[in-house]
Amino acid sequence: MSSKPSASNQAKYIVGSTQLISVKEALQELLAAFHPLESETIPLSEAAGRVLYDGIRSGIDLPLFTNSSMDGFAVRARDVAAAIPDNPVSLTVVDDIPAGKTSTIKLGENQTSRIMTGAPVPEGADAVIPVEDTDQYDPKFRSSFELSSTINVFRTVNPGDYVRQQGEDVRQNDVVLNANYPLKPQELGILAMLGIAEVPVFRKPKISILSTGDELVPVDQPLESGQIHDSNAYTLSALIKRDFGIPEYLGIVPDDEDSVRKFLETAAANNADLILTSAGVSVGVFDYVRTVVESDGELSFWRVNMRPGKPVAFGNFQGVPFIGLPGNPVSAFVGYEVFVRPAILKLSGMSAVPRYKVRARLEKGIKSDGRESYLRAILRYHHGEWTARLTGHQGSGNLLSLVHANALIIIPPGDKSLPAGSEVDAWLLD
Ligand code: AMP
Ligand code: MG
Protein backbone atom coordinates (compact mmCIF):
# COMPACT_ATOMS: atom_id res chain seq x y z
CA MET A 1 0.00 0.00 0.00
CA SER A 2 1.40 3.29 -0.91
CA SER A 3 -0.46 6.56 -0.89
CA LYS A 4 -1.88 7.81 2.35
CA PRO A 5 -4.89 9.99 2.73
CA SER A 6 -3.66 13.55 2.65
CA ALA A 7 -3.51 15.71 5.72
CA SER A 8 -5.47 18.46 4.02
CA ASN A 9 -8.59 16.29 4.02
CA GLN A 10 -8.38 16.15 7.74
CA ALA A 11 -9.25 19.79 8.11
CA LYS A 12 -11.96 19.49 5.52
CA TYR A 13 -14.06 16.97 7.43
CA ILE A 14 -13.11 17.04 11.06
CA VAL A 15 -13.23 20.70 11.90
CA GLY A 16 -16.56 21.45 13.43
CA SER A 17 -17.23 17.71 13.78
CA THR A 18 -20.86 18.13 12.80
CA GLN A 19 -20.01 18.19 9.12
CA LEU A 20 -20.84 14.93 7.37
CA ILE A 21 -19.20 13.71 4.19
CA SER A 22 -21.50 12.08 1.62
CA VAL A 23 -21.25 8.35 0.96
CA LYS A 24 -20.17 9.04 -2.61
CA GLU A 25 -17.43 11.45 -1.62
CA ALA A 26 -16.27 9.22 1.23
CA LEU A 27 -16.03 6.22 -1.08
CA GLN A 28 -14.09 8.18 -3.70
CA GLU A 29 -11.65 9.43 -1.14
CA LEU A 30 -11.22 6.03 0.45
CA LEU A 31 -10.74 4.15 -2.82
CA ALA A 32 -8.08 6.62 -3.96
CA ALA A 33 -5.90 5.32 -1.14
CA PHE A 34 -6.03 1.66 -2.23
CA HIS A 35 -4.08 0.13 -5.10
CA PRO A 36 -4.07 -3.38 -6.54
CA LEU A 37 -1.59 -5.67 -4.79
CA GLU A 38 1.30 -7.48 -6.45
CA SER A 39 0.91 -10.77 -8.31
CA GLU A 40 1.54 -14.32 -7.22
CA THR A 41 1.38 -17.57 -9.14
CA ILE A 42 -0.90 -20.24 -7.73
CA PRO A 43 -2.04 -23.73 -8.78
CA LEU A 44 -5.16 -23.76 -10.93
CA SER A 45 -6.92 -25.91 -8.31
CA GLU A 46 -6.80 -22.97 -5.87
CA ALA A 47 -7.74 -20.24 -8.30
CA ALA A 48 -11.56 -20.12 -8.00
CA GLY A 49 -12.60 -16.60 -7.04
CA ARG A 50 -9.11 -15.18 -7.44
CA VAL A 51 -8.53 -12.26 -9.79
CA LEU A 52 -6.37 -12.72 -12.89
CA TYR A 53 -3.29 -10.51 -12.93
CA ASP A 54 -2.56 -10.98 -16.65
CA GLY A 55 -4.82 -11.71 -19.57
CA ILE A 56 -4.55 -15.24 -20.93
CA ARG A 57 -3.90 -16.04 -24.60
CA SER A 58 -4.44 -19.50 -25.94
CA GLY A 59 -1.34 -21.38 -27.06
CA ILE A 60 -3.47 -23.89 -28.96
CA ASP A 61 -6.64 -24.29 -30.99
CA LEU A 62 -9.74 -25.64 -29.20
CA PRO A 63 -10.71 -28.22 -30.14
CA LEU A 64 -7.09 -29.09 -30.77
CA PHE A 65 -8.09 -31.62 -33.44
CA THR A 66 -11.21 -32.23 -35.51
CA ASN A 67 -13.26 -34.84 -33.62
CA SER A 68 -16.59 -36.61 -33.50
CA SER A 69 -19.45 -35.13 -31.48
CA MET A 70 -21.34 -38.45 -31.41
CA ASP A 71 -20.77 -42.15 -30.93
CA GLY A 72 -21.20 -43.52 -34.45
CA PHE A 73 -19.44 -44.08 -37.75
CA ALA A 74 -17.07 -41.77 -39.61
CA VAL A 75 -18.10 -41.55 -43.28
CA ARG A 76 -17.65 -39.69 -46.52
CA ALA A 77 -20.97 -37.87 -46.83
CA ARG A 78 -21.13 -38.53 -50.59
CA ASP A 79 -21.05 -42.32 -49.99
CA VAL A 80 -24.32 -42.23 -48.05
CA ALA A 81 -26.12 -39.62 -50.18
CA ALA A 82 -28.79 -42.17 -51.18
CA ALA A 83 -29.37 -43.77 -47.77
CA ILE A 84 -32.95 -43.98 -46.49
CA PRO A 85 -34.47 -46.34 -43.88
CA ASP A 86 -36.04 -48.63 -46.53
CA ASN A 87 -32.97 -48.64 -48.71
CA PRO A 88 -29.85 -48.37 -46.51
CA VAL A 89 -26.33 -48.01 -47.83
CA SER A 90 -23.84 -50.69 -46.83
CA LEU A 91 -20.33 -49.65 -45.83
CA THR A 92 -17.21 -51.69 -45.03
CA VAL A 93 -15.77 -51.12 -41.58
CA VAL A 94 -11.99 -50.55 -41.70
CA ASP A 95 -11.14 -49.36 -38.19
CA ASP A 96 -12.40 -48.82 -34.64
CA ILE A 97 -11.51 -45.46 -33.10
CA PRO A 98 -12.11 -45.00 -29.37
CA ALA A 99 -11.55 -41.57 -27.76
CA GLY A 100 -7.82 -41.07 -27.28
CA LYS A 101 -6.74 -42.97 -30.41
CA THR A 102 -5.74 -41.49 -33.76
CA SER A 103 -6.56 -43.77 -36.69
CA THR A 104 -3.86 -44.35 -39.29
CA ILE A 105 -6.36 -45.63 -41.87
CA LYS A 106 -7.64 -43.20 -44.51
CA LEU A 107 -11.25 -43.88 -45.55
CA GLY A 108 -11.73 -44.92 -49.17
CA GLU A 109 -14.96 -45.19 -51.15
CA ASN A 110 -17.81 -46.88 -49.21
CA GLN A 111 -15.60 -47.37 -46.17
CA THR A 112 -16.30 -46.38 -42.60
CA SER A 113 -14.63 -46.48 -39.18
CA ARG A 114 -16.50 -46.82 -35.92
CA ILE A 115 -15.79 -43.71 -33.87
CA MET A 116 -16.58 -42.60 -30.32
CA THR A 117 -17.38 -39.09 -29.12
CA GLY A 118 -14.21 -37.02 -28.84
CA ALA A 119 -12.09 -39.29 -31.03
CA PRO A 120 -10.17 -37.67 -33.93
CA VAL A 121 -12.05 -37.93 -37.24
CA PRO A 122 -9.95 -40.11 -39.58
CA GLU A 123 -8.46 -38.84 -42.79
CA GLY A 124 -10.88 -39.09 -45.72
CA ALA A 125 -14.01 -38.80 -43.53
CA ASP A 126 -16.01 -35.57 -43.55
CA ALA A 127 -19.00 -36.49 -41.36
CA VAL A 128 -20.22 -38.88 -38.69
CA ILE A 129 -23.39 -40.98 -38.71
CA PRO A 130 -24.77 -41.41 -35.17
CA VAL A 131 -24.91 -45.08 -34.21
CA GLU A 132 -28.67 -44.70 -33.73
CA ASP A 133 -29.01 -44.22 -37.51
CA THR A 134 -27.29 -47.51 -38.37
CA ASP A 135 -28.11 -51.18 -37.93
CA GLN A 136 -25.52 -51.31 -35.10
CA TYR A 137 -27.97 -49.89 -32.60
CA ASP A 138 -30.64 -51.71 -30.67
CA PRO A 139 -32.51 -49.42 -28.28
CA LYS A 140 -32.87 -52.37 -25.88
CA PHE A 141 -29.18 -53.14 -25.72
CA ARG A 142 -27.88 -49.73 -26.79
CA SER A 143 -25.06 -50.01 -29.32
CA SER A 144 -23.49 -53.40 -29.76
CA PHE A 145 -19.93 -53.90 -28.59
CA GLU A 146 -19.14 -56.43 -31.33
CA LEU A 147 -18.04 -54.64 -34.45
CA SER A 148 -19.47 -56.03 -37.71
CA SER A 149 -17.36 -56.06 -40.85
CA THR A 150 -20.12 -54.18 -42.69
CA ILE A 151 -22.83 -51.86 -41.48
CA ASN A 152 -26.03 -50.41 -42.91
CA VAL A 153 -26.59 -46.66 -42.79
CA PHE A 154 -30.20 -45.41 -42.77
CA ARG A 155 -29.74 -41.70 -43.41
CA THR A 156 -27.77 -39.04 -45.24
CA VAL A 157 -25.48 -36.42 -43.70
CA ASN A 158 -23.92 -33.20 -44.91
CA PRO A 159 -20.17 -32.77 -44.80
CA GLY A 160 -19.32 -31.48 -41.31
CA ASP A 161 -22.34 -33.03 -39.58
CA TYR A 162 -21.55 -34.35 -36.08
CA VAL A 163 -17.98 -33.15 -36.45
CA ARG A 164 -16.34 -30.56 -34.18
CA GLN A 165 -13.81 -28.67 -36.25
CA GLN A 166 -10.34 -27.87 -34.96
CA GLY A 167 -10.33 -24.28 -33.64
CA GLU A 168 -14.11 -23.76 -33.82
CA ASP A 169 -14.18 -22.71 -30.13
CA VAL A 170 -10.82 -20.97 -29.66
CA ARG A 171 -8.07 -20.08 -32.12
CA GLN A 172 -4.42 -20.22 -31.15
CA ASN A 173 -3.35 -16.73 -29.91
CA ASP A 174 -6.91 -15.66 -29.12
CA VAL A 175 -7.25 -13.76 -25.81
CA VAL A 176 -9.53 -16.06 -23.83
CA LEU A 177 -9.59 -14.28 -20.46
CA ASN A 178 -8.94 -10.67 -19.56
CA ALA A 179 -6.97 -9.48 -16.56
CA ASN A 180 -8.77 -8.04 -13.51
CA TYR A 181 -11.68 -10.49 -13.55
CA PRO A 182 -12.35 -13.03 -10.83
CA LEU A 183 -12.06 -16.60 -12.02
CA LYS A 184 -15.31 -18.54 -12.06
CA PRO A 185 -15.52 -22.34 -12.18
CA GLN A 186 -16.09 -22.41 -15.93
CA GLU A 187 -12.98 -20.26 -16.43
CA LEU A 188 -10.89 -22.76 -14.48
CA GLY A 189 -12.24 -25.32 -16.95
CA ILE A 190 -11.02 -23.45 -20.00
CA LEU A 191 -7.63 -22.77 -18.38
CA ALA A 192 -7.27 -26.50 -17.73
CA MET A 193 -8.28 -27.22 -21.31
CA LEU A 194 -5.48 -24.90 -22.41
CA GLY A 195 -3.00 -26.78 -20.23
CA ILE A 196 -2.43 -23.85 -17.88
CA ALA A 197 -1.63 -25.46 -14.52
CA GLU A 198 -0.60 -22.28 -12.70
CA VAL A 199 -2.17 -18.86 -12.95
CA PRO A 200 -0.95 -15.35 -12.17
CA VAL A 201 -3.38 -13.70 -9.75
CA PHE A 202 -3.33 -10.72 -7.44
CA ARG A 203 -2.20 -11.49 -3.91
CA LYS A 204 -5.04 -11.76 -1.41
CA PRO A 205 -5.32 -8.74 0.88
CA LYS A 206 -4.65 -9.38 4.52
CA ILE A 207 -7.04 -7.57 6.87
CA SER A 208 -6.34 -7.22 10.59
CA ILE A 209 -9.55 -7.10 12.61
CA LEU A 210 -9.89 -5.55 16.05
CA SER A 211 -13.02 -5.44 18.18
CA THR A 212 -12.97 -2.64 20.72
CA GLY A 213 -15.06 -2.34 23.86
CA ASP A 214 -14.85 -3.15 27.58
CA GLU A 215 -18.21 -4.89 27.36
CA LEU A 216 -17.06 -7.47 24.80
CA VAL A 217 -16.44 -11.10 25.66
CA PRO A 218 -15.30 -13.91 23.34
CA VAL A 219 -18.10 -16.14 22.11
CA ASP A 220 -16.95 -19.15 24.13
CA GLN A 221 -16.88 -17.34 27.49
CA PRO A 222 -19.82 -16.75 29.85
CA LEU A 223 -21.31 -13.27 30.12
CA GLU A 224 -21.29 -11.24 33.29
CA SER A 225 -23.63 -8.38 33.98
CA GLY A 226 -23.49 -5.73 31.25
CA GLN A 227 -21.36 -7.79 28.90
CA ILE A 228 -22.11 -9.00 25.36
CA HIS A 229 -20.41 -11.41 23.02
CA ASP A 230 -18.21 -9.99 20.28
CA SER A 231 -20.31 -10.66 17.18
CA ASN A 232 -18.69 -8.24 14.74
CA ALA A 233 -15.46 -10.21 14.56
CA TYR A 234 -17.37 -13.19 13.19
CA THR A 235 -19.48 -11.30 10.70
CA LEU A 236 -16.53 -9.26 9.43
CA SER A 237 -14.19 -12.26 9.15
CA ALA A 238 -16.78 -14.15 7.13
CA LEU A 239 -17.45 -11.17 4.87
CA ILE A 240 -13.72 -10.82 4.23
CA LYS A 241 -13.43 -14.50 3.37
CA ARG A 242 -16.43 -14.21 1.06
CA ASP A 243 -14.57 -11.45 -0.75
CA PHE A 244 -11.39 -13.54 -0.95
CA GLY A 245 -9.43 -11.54 1.59
CA ILE A 246 -7.54 -13.04 4.53
CA PRO A 247 -9.02 -11.96 7.88
CA GLU A 248 -6.70 -11.90 10.86
CA TYR A 249 -8.59 -11.45 14.07
CA LEU A 250 -6.34 -9.83 16.66
CA GLY A 251 -8.85 -9.97 19.48
CA ILE A 252 -10.83 -7.72 21.79
CA VAL A 253 -9.29 -4.40 22.81
CA PRO A 254 -10.35 -2.79 26.07
CA ASP A 255 -11.47 0.84 26.03
CA ASP A 256 -8.25 2.47 27.15
CA GLU A 257 -5.86 4.49 25.10
CA ASP A 258 -2.75 2.40 25.74
CA SER A 259 -4.45 -0.88 24.86
CA VAL A 260 -5.91 0.57 21.69
CA ARG A 261 -2.45 1.90 20.72
CA LYS A 262 -0.77 -1.42 21.46
CA PHE A 263 -3.27 -3.34 19.31
CA LEU A 264 -3.05 -0.90 16.42
CA GLU A 265 0.76 -1.12 16.56
CA THR A 266 0.53 -4.91 16.44
CA ALA A 267 -1.81 -4.68 13.46
CA ALA A 268 0.52 -2.26 11.65
CA ALA A 269 3.56 -4.44 12.34
CA ASN A 270 1.63 -7.41 11.03
CA ASN A 271 1.97 -6.42 7.35
CA ALA A 272 -1.76 -5.91 7.12
CA ASP A 273 -3.04 -4.30 3.93
CA LEU A 274 -5.89 -2.83 5.97
CA ILE A 275 -6.63 -2.41 9.66
CA LEU A 276 -10.34 -2.86 10.32
CA THR A 277 -11.74 -1.97 13.72
CA SER A 278 -15.26 -1.98 15.02
CA ALA A 279 -16.66 0.37 17.66
CA GLY A 280 -14.96 3.10 19.64
CA VAL A 281 -15.04 5.66 16.80
CA SER A 282 -18.07 7.64 17.86
CA VAL A 283 -18.42 10.46 20.37
CA GLY A 284 -18.51 8.36 23.55
CA VAL A 285 -16.05 9.38 26.26
CA PHE A 286 -14.28 6.00 25.95
CA ASP A 287 -14.05 6.05 22.15
CA TYR A 288 -10.25 6.12 21.83
CA VAL A 289 -9.75 4.69 18.36
CA ARG A 290 -9.81 8.02 16.54
CA THR A 291 -7.52 9.70 19.07
CA VAL A 292 -4.93 6.95 18.76
CA VAL A 293 -5.09 6.82 14.97
CA GLU A 294 -4.59 10.57 14.78
CA SER A 295 -1.65 10.43 17.19
CA ASP A 296 0.38 8.27 14.81
CA GLY A 297 -1.34 8.64 11.48
CA GLU A 298 -4.10 10.65 9.86
CA LEU A 299 -7.85 10.62 9.81
CA SER A 300 -9.34 11.51 6.49
CA PHE A 301 -12.99 11.45 7.58
CA TRP A 302 -14.91 9.95 10.44
CA ARG A 303 -18.56 10.75 9.93
CA VAL A 304 -20.57 9.88 6.88
CA ASN A 305 -24.05 11.04 5.96
CA MET A 306 -25.57 7.59 6.10
CA ARG A 307 -27.86 5.42 8.17
CA PRO A 308 -27.04 3.13 9.79
CA GLY A 309 -23.31 3.63 10.17
CA LYS A 310 -22.66 7.34 10.48
CA PRO A 311 -19.49 6.98 12.58
CA VAL A 312 -17.32 5.38 9.89
CA ALA A 313 -13.71 6.52 10.10
CA PHE A 314 -11.03 6.30 7.45
CA GLY A 315 -7.36 7.17 7.44
CA ASN A 316 -4.06 5.47 8.10
CA PHE A 317 -2.19 4.34 11.18
CA GLN A 318 1.58 4.31 10.74
CA GLY A 319 1.00 4.35 7.01
CA VAL A 320 -1.34 1.34 6.96
CA PRO A 321 -4.87 2.11 5.73
CA PHE A 322 -7.39 2.10 8.53
CA ILE A 323 -11.18 1.79 8.42
CA GLY A 324 -13.04 2.17 11.70
CA LEU A 325 -16.54 0.70 11.52
CA PRO A 326 -19.25 1.53 14.02
CA GLY A 327 -19.82 -0.99 16.80
CA ASN A 328 -23.49 -1.70 16.29
CA PRO A 329 -23.61 -4.98 14.41
CA VAL A 330 -25.92 -3.84 11.60
CA SER A 331 -23.94 -0.62 11.15
CA ALA A 332 -20.72 -2.63 10.98
CA PHE A 333 -22.28 -4.88 8.33
CA VAL A 334 -23.56 -1.99 6.23
CA GLY A 335 -20.27 -0.11 6.63
CA TYR A 336 -18.46 -3.20 5.39
CA GLU A 337 -20.68 -3.54 2.33
CA VAL A 338 -20.47 0.13 1.43
CA PHE A 339 -16.78 0.84 2.12
CA VAL A 340 -14.71 -2.20 3.03
CA ARG A 341 -15.81 -4.50 0.26
CA PRO A 342 -14.94 -2.04 -2.54
CA ALA A 343 -11.55 -1.45 -0.90
CA ILE A 344 -10.82 -5.18 -0.64
CA LEU A 345 -11.91 -5.79 -4.22
CA LYS A 346 -9.67 -2.96 -5.43
CA LEU A 347 -6.71 -4.40 -3.49
CA SER A 348 -7.55 -7.77 -5.06
CA GLY A 349 -7.18 -6.32 -8.54
CA MET A 350 -10.83 -6.22 -9.57
CA SER A 351 -11.71 -3.55 -12.08
CA ALA A 352 -15.24 -3.03 -10.77
CA VAL A 353 -17.35 -3.95 -7.76
CA PRO A 354 -20.03 -6.40 -8.84
CA ARG A 355 -23.35 -5.94 -7.06
CA TYR A 356 -26.58 -7.80 -7.54
CA LYS A 357 -28.55 -4.62 -7.88
CA VAL A 358 -32.20 -4.29 -8.87
CA ARG A 359 -34.94 -1.65 -8.79
CA ALA A 360 -37.74 -2.50 -6.40
CA ARG A 361 -41.14 -0.99 -5.68
CA LEU A 362 -41.97 -0.23 -2.05
CA GLU A 363 -44.96 -2.17 -0.71
CA LYS A 364 -45.45 0.46 2.00
CA GLY A 365 -44.35 4.06 2.43
CA ILE A 366 -41.04 4.71 4.23
CA LYS A 367 -39.94 7.66 6.33
CA SER A 368 -36.25 8.51 6.37
CA ASP A 369 -34.21 11.24 8.04
CA GLY A 370 -32.53 12.61 4.93
CA ARG A 371 -29.36 10.57 5.34
CA GLU A 372 -28.50 8.00 2.66
CA SER A 373 -30.14 4.93 4.18
CA TYR A 374 -29.43 1.24 3.76
CA LEU A 375 -32.49 -0.53 5.10
CA ARG A 376 -33.04 -4.23 5.69
CA ALA A 377 -35.74 -5.53 3.41
CA ILE A 378 -37.32 -8.58 1.91
CA LEU A 379 -37.49 -8.43 -1.84
CA ARG A 380 -39.94 -10.57 -3.78
CA TYR A 381 -40.27 -11.01 -7.50
CA HIS A 382 -43.81 -11.27 -8.75
CA HIS A 383 -45.89 -10.01 -11.64
CA GLY A 384 -42.69 -9.12 -13.47
CA GLU A 385 -41.19 -6.79 -10.88
CA TRP A 386 -39.40 -6.68 -7.57
CA THR A 387 -41.26 -5.41 -4.55
CA ALA A 388 -39.70 -4.54 -1.21
CA ARG A 389 -40.86 -4.39 2.37
CA LEU A 390 -38.78 -3.71 5.47
CA THR A 391 -37.99 -6.63 7.77
CA GLY A 392 -39.09 -4.80 10.87
CA HIS A 393 -37.46 -2.59 13.43
CA GLN A 394 -34.45 -0.93 11.83
CA GLY A 395 -32.46 -0.32 15.03
CA SER A 396 -28.77 -0.67 14.19
CA GLY A 397 -28.23 -3.18 16.97
CA ASN A 398 -31.01 -5.53 15.85
CA LEU A 399 -29.32 -8.34 14.03
CA LEU A 400 -32.37 -10.54 13.53
CA SER A 401 -33.92 -8.06 11.11
CA LEU A 402 -30.70 -8.34 9.07
CA VAL A 403 -30.86 -12.11 9.27
CA HIS A 404 -34.42 -11.97 7.90
CA ALA A 405 -33.51 -9.59 5.07
CA ASN A 406 -32.49 -10.69 1.60
CA ALA A 407 -31.61 -7.16 0.44
CA LEU A 408 -30.58 -3.69 1.49
CA ILE A 409 -32.74 -1.01 -0.07
CA ILE A 410 -31.15 2.36 -0.56
CA ILE A 411 -32.99 5.60 0.22
CA PRO A 412 -31.11 8.46 -1.45
CA PRO A 413 -29.79 11.36 0.62
CA GLY A 414 -32.32 14.16 1.00
CA ASP A 415 -35.38 11.91 0.74
CA LYS A 416 -37.42 12.06 3.94
CA SER A 417 -40.56 10.32 2.84
CA LEU A 418 -41.16 7.79 0.07
CA PRO A 419 -44.79 6.79 -0.56
CA ALA A 420 -45.86 3.21 -1.26
CA GLY A 421 -45.17 2.35 -4.88
CA SER A 422 -41.93 4.39 -5.07
CA GLU A 423 -39.00 2.73 -6.82
CA VAL A 424 -35.72 2.31 -4.98
CA ASP A 425 -32.34 0.68 -5.64
CA ALA A 426 -31.73 -2.56 -3.79
CA TRP A 427 -28.64 -4.71 -3.25
CA LEU A 428 -29.50 -8.38 -3.07
CA LEU A 429 -27.64 -10.02 -0.21
CA ASP A 430 -28.00 -13.69 -1.14
P1 AMP B 1 -19.56 2.00 20.22
O1 AMP B 1 -19.32 2.32 18.79
O2 AMP B 1 -18.31 1.57 20.93
O3 AMP B 1 -20.28 3.09 20.91
O4 AMP B 1 -20.53 0.75 20.22
C1 AMP B 1 -21.84 0.84 19.73
C2 AMP B 1 -22.65 -0.36 20.09
O5 AMP B 1 -22.12 -1.51 19.45
C3 AMP B 1 -22.63 -0.70 21.55
O6 AMP B 1 -23.92 -1.13 21.93
C4 AMP B 1 -21.65 -1.84 21.66
O7 AMP B 1 -21.85 -2.66 22.77
C5 AMP B 1 -21.90 -2.55 20.38
N1 AMP B 1 -20.72 -3.30 19.94
C6 AMP B 1 -19.48 -2.82 19.88
N2 AMP B 1 -18.61 -3.73 19.44
C7 AMP B 1 -19.32 -4.83 19.20
C8 AMP B 1 -18.99 -6.13 18.74
N3 AMP B 1 -17.72 -6.44 18.40
N4 AMP B 1 -19.96 -7.03 18.59
C9 AMP B 1 -21.24 -6.70 18.92
N5 AMP B 1 -21.62 -5.50 19.35
C10 AMP B 1 -20.68 -4.57 19.51
MG1 MG C 1 -17.70 1.14 22.75
Side-chain angles (χ1 to χ4, degrees):
M1 278 304 309
S2 51
S3 71
K4 302 173 187 177
S6 72
S8 62
N9 292 328
Q10 196 171 331
K12 198 157 93 196
Y13 302 113
I14 291 178
V15 166
S17 81
T18 49
Q19 194 185 351
L20 302 182
I21 178 173
S22 72
V23 171
K24 192 174 164 204
E25 227 182 326
L27 193 57
Q28 261 173 14
E29 187 159 334
L30 179 142
L31 285 179
F34 291 91
H35 304 284
L37 298 171
E38 63 279 16
S39 76
E40 63 182 10
T41 300
I42 60 168
L44 184 60
S45 56
E46 289 164 22
R50 301 294 298 275
V51 181
L52 264 186
Y53 189 85
D54 292 317
I56 303 280
R57 261 179 211 283
S58 179
I60 55 174
D61 284 341
L62 287 182
L64 184 54
F65 48 87
T66 298
N67 67 90
S68 178
S69 71
M70 296 292 275
D71 297 324
F73 289 85
V75 298
R76 307 174 345 147
R78 59 190 176 281
D79 289 347
V80 296
I84 52 170
D86 288 342
N87 191 16
V89 167
S90 175
L91 300 176
T92 307
V93 179
V94 295
D95 201 2
D96 195 13
I97 318 173
K101 173 185 156 182
T102 298
S103 175
T104 52
I105 301 173
K106 177 177 176 177
L107 291 195
E109 194 177 344
N110 293 325
Q111 291 183 337
T112 186
S113 288
R114 184 162 74 171
I115 190 165
M116 296 297 123
T117 305
V121 171
E123 217 186 315
D126 57 14
V128 169
I129 303 280
V131 66
E132 294 89 333
D133 297 319
T134 71
D135 63 358
Q136 301 298 295
Y137 182 73
D138 179 334
K140 271 205 289 268
F141 304 110
R142 305 178 59 236
S143 50
S144 78
F145 184 71
E146 289 299 318
L147 184 55
S148 316
S149 55
T150 62
I151 62 158
N152 281 316
V153 172
F154 299 126
R155 61 167 284 186
T156 63
V157 275
N158 291 313
D161 283 357
Y162 304 106
V163 170
R164 305 188 279 219
Q165 300 295 339
Q166 176 178 345
E168 73 175 28
D169 193 12
V170 174
R171 287 261 172 222
Q172 186 175 15
N173 283 325
D174 280 355
V175 173
V176 286
L177 298 174
N178 289 316
N180 304 104
Y181 286 94
L183 293 168
K184 299 186 290 297
Q186 56 270 40
E187 289 162 341
L188 300 197
I190 204 166
L191 288 168
M193 199 59 101
L194 296 176
I196 297 174
E198 294 188 316
V199 279
V201 294
F202 289 89
R203 178 170 68 75
K204 280 183 170 194
K206 186 162 125 180
I207 322 295
S208 289
I209 301 176
L210 296 176
S211 298
T212 77
D214 280 341
E215 75 279 31
L216 301 178
V217 171
V219 68
D220 55 357
Q221 285 177 28
L223 298 174
E224 286 172 18
S225 173
Q227 295 183 327
I228 60 168
H229 286 127
D230 170 10
S231 75
N232 289 342
Y234 288 87
T235 306
L236 295 173
S237 295
L239 286 166
I240 290 167
K241 282 189 195 159
R242 179 201 67 185
D243 293 334
F244 296 96
I246 304 172
E248 278 213 332
Y249 178 42
L250 299 184
I252 294 169
V253 193
D255 283 321
D256 71 73
E257 204 170 325
D258 287 345
S259 300
V260 171
R261 176 168 291 109
K262 204 180 97 221
F263 268 80
L264 286 178
E265 281 168 354
T266 306
N270 203 24
N271 292 322
D273 299 297
L274 168 65
I275 301 171
L276 186 61
T277 64
S278 72
V281 282
S282 195
V283 292
V285 279
F286 302 107
D287 291 347
Y288 288 117
V289 176
R290 278 188 295 122
T291 324
V292 174
V293 168
E294 282 187 291
S295 72
D296 204 357
E298 289 160 312
L299 265 187
S300 178
F301 59 79
W302 71 280
R303 301 226 286 179
V304 181
N305 188 29
M306 67 189 285
R307 174 177 81 116
K310 182 170 72 172
V312 172
F314 169 64
N316 75 81
F317 180 75
Q318 298 184 343
V320 181
F322 154 84
I323 298 178
L325 294 174
N328 278 308
V330 179
S331 311
F333 180 92
V334 170
Y336 180 93
E337 287 293 309
V338 175
F339 296 111
V340 183
R341 180 166 183 258
I344 290 182
L345 296 188
K346 189 168 177 194
L347 286 169
S348 308
M350 279 180 62
S351 48
V353 179
R355 290 257 188 230
Y356 299 103
K357 196 162 144 183
V358 297
R359 293 285 285 172
R361 199 174 289 289
L362 295 180
E363 287 178 23
K364 288 182 176 168
I366 289 181
K367 296 260 179 280
S368 188
D369 68 356
R371 281 183 282 165
E372 182 162 330
S373 301
Y374 293 78
L375 306 180
R376 286 144 269 172
I378 293 172
L379 255 62
R380 291 185 302 162
Y381 190 74
H382 63 156
H383 303 312
E385 65 173 11
W386 290 96
T387 61
R389 71 183 154 82
L390 300 184
T391 50
H393 194 284
Q394 296 287 313
S396 55
N398 298 348
L399 264 179
L400 191 61
S401 58
L402 179 59
V403 168
H404 288 162
N406 65 0
L408 294 175
I409 60 170
I410 303 165
I411 312 298
D415 279 353
K416 295 204 166 166
S417 169
L418 290 178
S422 309
E423 275 200 3
V424 291
D425 280 337
W427 290 350
L428 295 175
L429 295 176
D430 300 332

